[in-house]
């Protein structure tokens, strides 16, 4: 263990947890001291192969050992050994771990599946990094909210945002998820408007006037956002394309790509780990201005866009870097974001 590095524990090693672990392991100012597993499945097997110390609930240690695993200790032992824990347990489960983190005096990050009330700060690297400096508890907002903040923030800075309207076509389940659906339907989710995404953006940028609608679709690759934004000051489509192209976590998608499946194929061709597309994927040709209003499509890779934000949140909470752009640059460089 390197004493100069921040000690990070990952509680819950599923879709998000395994990616956060790999991203943290790439940083030179933090290290993974352990990950927790509740079941000895293939993800436990690959965690062991990667060399992560595995912790389990105390009553599961023996059964993991029987299956041939070396177990470093209980989840409580892992939390005690950490400076900060990234809770990546399923939505609404993370809240039940709060008392443990408080008892052990460990800083904690929760994910977007938890209620906004779980932590005093909801986080996005570009929009409100400074709010998390030295903070004990932070929630990294959901994949969709992260994707919305990344485009709304720079537009608001440059042109002023009057009103955002967004329709979100959500993936029904992640590729490895064998329980979710729908298989053959578009499910209004929720049927009563607005969806939670607009209010969630406001937890980071309270002054933004935004309304959102969402539905679930039978696809697992990505979410798709249809955006319509009224800006306070005039701009052209080319100016917006240029603005987005300068942002550290937006990728302008072109080269004949007109579908989420092609973006994932592009990620595979780029040799991205798990074909992750950490950046917002804005369809360049879709960016248009009509009658003073901006329109565009963007695709969001739900499994991966929040991963760099978790790394930046650790850096802010542990006061490793005061400048958000420097943290973003460091995280991006280590992970290969923007390449
Ligand atoms: P997941 O189901 O893929 O992984 C959760 C992991 O936690 C599993 O390994 C599970 O076995 C484990 N677990 C369950 N109960 C536990 C407990 N009590 N203690 C420790 N571990 C436990 O879930 P996920 O998709 O990675 O989601 C995690 C969080 O991230 C949720 O808040 C979710 O809303 C949020 N999130 C998910 C996505 C996505 O698309 N998957 C995107 C952004 C944010």
């Amino acid at each position: 263990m390197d004493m100069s590095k921040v000690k990070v524990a990952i509680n819950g090693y599923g879709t998000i947890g395994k990616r956060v672990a790999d991203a943290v392991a790439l940083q030179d100012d933090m290290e993974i001291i352990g990950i927790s597993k509740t079941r000895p499945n293939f993800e436990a097997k690959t965690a062991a192969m990667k060399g992560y110390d595995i912790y389990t609930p105390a009553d599961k240690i023996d059964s993991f050992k029987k299956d041939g695993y070396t177990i470093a200790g209980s989840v409580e032992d892992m939390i005690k050994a950490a400076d900060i824990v990234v809770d990546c347990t399923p939505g609404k489960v993370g809240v039940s771990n709060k008392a443990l983190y408080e008892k052990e005096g460990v800083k904690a990050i929760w994910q977007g599946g938890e209620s906004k009330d779980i932590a005093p700060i909801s986080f996005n690297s570009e929009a409100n990094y400074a709010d998390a400096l030295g903070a004990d508890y932070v929630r990294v907002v959901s994949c969709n909210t992260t994707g919305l903040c990344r485009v709304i923030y720079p537009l608001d800075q440059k042109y002023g945002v009057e009103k955002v309207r967004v329709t979100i076509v959500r993936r029904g389940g992640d590729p490895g998820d064998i329980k979710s659906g729908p298989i053959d339907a578009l499910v209004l989710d929720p049927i009563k408007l607005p969806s939670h995404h607009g209010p969630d953006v406001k937890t980071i940028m309270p002054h933004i006037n935004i309304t959102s609608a969402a539905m679930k679709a039978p696809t697992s690759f990505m979410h798709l956002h249809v955006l319509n934004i009224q800006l306070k000051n005039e701009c052209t489509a080319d100016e917006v394309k240029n603005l987005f192209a300068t942002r550290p976590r937006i990728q302008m998608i072109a080269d004949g790509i007109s579908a989420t499946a092609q973006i994932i194929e592009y990620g595979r061709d780029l040799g991205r780990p798990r074909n992750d597309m950490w950046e917002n994927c804005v369809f360049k040709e879709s960016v248009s201005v009509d009658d003073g209003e901006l329109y565009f499509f963007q695709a969001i890779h739900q499994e991966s866009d929040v991963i760099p934000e978790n790394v930046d949140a650790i850096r802010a909470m542990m006061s490793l870097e005061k400048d958000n752009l420097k943290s973003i640059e460091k995280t991006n460089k280590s992970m290969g974001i923007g390449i």
Side-chain angles (χ1 to χ4, degrees):
M1 199 179 292
D2 182 341
M3 296 313 283
S4 68
K5 292 185 178 184
V6 165
K7 297 192 276 298
V8 182
I10 306 291
N11 197 14
Y13 189 79
T15 304
I16 300 298
K18 62 189 173 187
R19 287 175 168 81
V20 175
D22 289 354
V24 168
L26 291 170
Q27 311 306 311
D28 62 13
D29 50 357
M30 51 189 88
E31 66 178 338
I32 293 294
I33 57 116
I35 65 102
S36 80
K37 279 301 298 171
T38 50
R39 282 172 299 138
N41 64 1
F42 69 95
E43 283 164 329
K45 186 174 171 180
T46 51
M49 287 163 71
K50 282 170 186 258
Y52 294 135
D53 281 354
I54 299 176
Y55 294 79
T56 76
D59 60 352
K60 301 252 174 89
I61 292 178
D62 285 344
S63 68
F64 269 82
K65 282 185 175 168
K66 263 187 214 142
D67 278 348
Y69 285 91
T70 302
I71 298 300
S74 67
V75 173
E76 284 75 11
D77 294 334
M78 177 178 80
I79 303 306
K80 279 191 182 109
D83 296 318
I84 184 163
V85 55
V86 186
D87 190 300
C88 301
T89 57
K92 313 288 178 270
V93 171
V95 68
S96 58
N97 296 322
K98 191 169 186 180
L100 172 64
Y101 306 152
E102 284 172 340
K103 181 172 151 245
E104 299 302 339
V106 172
K107 291 180 188 255
I109 296 174
W110 285 272
Q111 307 303 312
E114 299 302 322
S115 141
K116 68 176 172 44
D117 303 321
I118 197 159
I121 296 154
S122 290
F123 180 86
N124 173 261
S125 302
E126 273 200 83
N128 72 337
Y129 181 97
D131 292 349
L133 284 172
D136 287 335
Y137 304 120
V138 161
R139 178 184 70 125
V140 170
V141 290
S142 76
C143 45
N144 281 310
T145 307
T146 296
L148 289 170
C149 289
R150 284 183 184 163
V151 289
I152 293 169
Y153 177 74
L155 287 169
D156 191 42
Q157 292 289 298
K158 183 133 193 199
Y159 304 110
V161 164
E162 186 70 42
K163 171 93 185 166
V164 180
R165 297 176 183 86
V166 59
T167 303
I168 300 176
V169 183
R170 299 174 54 202
R171 60 89 180 97
D174 292 337
D177 177 358
I178 57 171
K179 291 184 187 154
S180 301
I183 289 176
D184 189 6
L186 291 172
V187 181
L188 309 183
D189 186 26
I191 190 167
K192 204 172 160 212
L193 300 175
S195 68
H196 72 274
H197 306 92
D200 213 23
V201 166
K202 284 171 158 292
T203 64
I204 290 180
M205 293 179 283
H207 64 286
I208 294 292
N209 185 2
I210 176 170
T211 184
S212 59
M215 70 197 79
K216 281 204 278 191
T219 180
S220 67
F221 295 127
M222 302 182 94
H223 303 299
L224 188 82
H225 294 182
V226 187
L227 278 132
N228 163 218
I229 304 181
Q230 269 174 274
L231 298 167
K232 289 184 178 152
N233 296 303
E234 274 184 26
C235 66
T236 66
D238 281 342
E239 284 166 351
V240 171
K241 287 179 200 176
N242 291 338
L243 173 68
F244 284 168
T246 64
R247 303 321 303 168
R249 290 187 184 148
I250 296 179
Q251 188 164 162
M252 300 306 285
I253 295 291
D255 306 302
I257 296 178
S258 60
T260 53
Q262 292 170 310
I263 295 177
I264 293 300
E265 187 65 9
Y266 179 44
R268 288 193 185 110
D269 289 350
L270 288 172
R272 294 276 182 103
R274 303 183 176 99
N275 55 259
D276 284 352
M277 297 299 281
W278 304 285
E279 310 92 334
N280 283 29
C281 296
V282 174
F283 291 85
K284 190 173 176 182
E285 277 185 76
S286 75
V287 179
S288 45
V289 174
D290 182 55
D291 204 15
E293 291 188 25
L294 170 67
Y295 296 83
F296 62 95
F297 291 119
Q298 67 173 355
I300 300 296
H301 187 220
Q302 76 281 353
E303 298 177 284
S304 70
D305 75 323
V306 298
I307 307 307
E309 316 293 304
N310 274 273
V311 174
D312 293 330
I314 295 170
R315 213 169 263 127
M317 293 165 73
M318 298 305 301
S319 302
L320 294 170
E321 174 58 68
K322 286 206 168 69
D323 182 339
N324 72 326
L325 292 179
K326 283 191 183 152
S327 177
I328 289 171
E329 191 185 346
K330 190 174 171 76
T331 308
N332 281 9
K333 201 170 163 200
S334 66
M335 294 176 67
I337 295 174
I339 296 166

